[in-house]
Amino acid sequence: MLVRRLVGVLALAVVSGWLVPTAAGAAVPRPGSVAAELRSVPRALYLVVGTPSFDHFTLRAVADDSAAGHRVVLQRRTPKGWTGVAARRFSRDGKARWEVPRPDRRITYRAVTRIGGERIVSTEVNFS
């Protein structure tokens, strides 16, 4: 099953032009593909608070559409540092959403993602 999946991914990469087959049969990345991927990395990630409910808030991580499908983690500030709360994937629009309980004390959240080897951290949201 794993071999079939790997062959399918390689075939898709060759057909779409990401990889160019060489004479020896090995696949080498096309020179412009890395630069194109780095250009598509979103330069800003925002954490936006939605309309509050009586028992929770909605937090949205907003990036551009180049972040679509990538993993994003919601983190909460603790005395020992940042801890992961929940992970999601960006939608096609570059948005991810979480519902967090209404805090009874001061709490800080942020979103973190890694795209193209670059770590992108969102703005922080403070609840008092």
Side-chain angles (χ1 to χ4, degrees):
M1 187 68 176
L2 181 63
V3 173
R4 183 185 300 167
R5 184 177 294 163
L6 181 63
V7 170
V9 169
L10 277 175
L12 179 66
V14 169
V15 169
S16 63
W18 289 344
L19 298 176
V20 179
T22 61
V28 179
R30 190 186 306 172
S33 65
V34 173
E37 182 179 338
L38 289 178
R39 277 194 307 265
S40 67
V41 172
R43 297 295 175 206
L45 176 63
Y46 301 99
L47 193 61
V48 180
V49 179
T51 307
S53 174
F54 67 94
D55 64 342
H56 70 272
F57 284 97
T58 301
L59 297 177
R60 285 186 177 83
V62 180
D64 58 4
D65 55 355
S66 65
H70 286 88
R71 187 172 181 260
V72 60
V73 177
L74 180 68
Q75 294 181 339
R76 184 184 67 208
R77 181 79 173 158
T78 64
K80 295 181 179 180
W82 292 97
T83 183
V85 175
R88 299 277 192 272
R89 295 234 176 235
F90 281 111
S91 68
R92 283 185 252 150
D93 301 344
K95 296 178 181 150
R97 183 176 67 104
W98 297 273
E99 290 183 357
V100 295
R102 185 178 287 269
D104 53 350
R105 64 185 191 284
R106 182 179 171 91
I107 221 166
T108 303
Y109 289 102
R110 74 178 184 181
V112 178
T113 188
R114 185 174 295 276
I115 300 174
E118 185 177 342
R119 183 173 180 239
I120 303 167
V121 180
S122 75
T123 54
E124 294 179 3
V125 171
N126 297 309
F127 293 104
S128 310

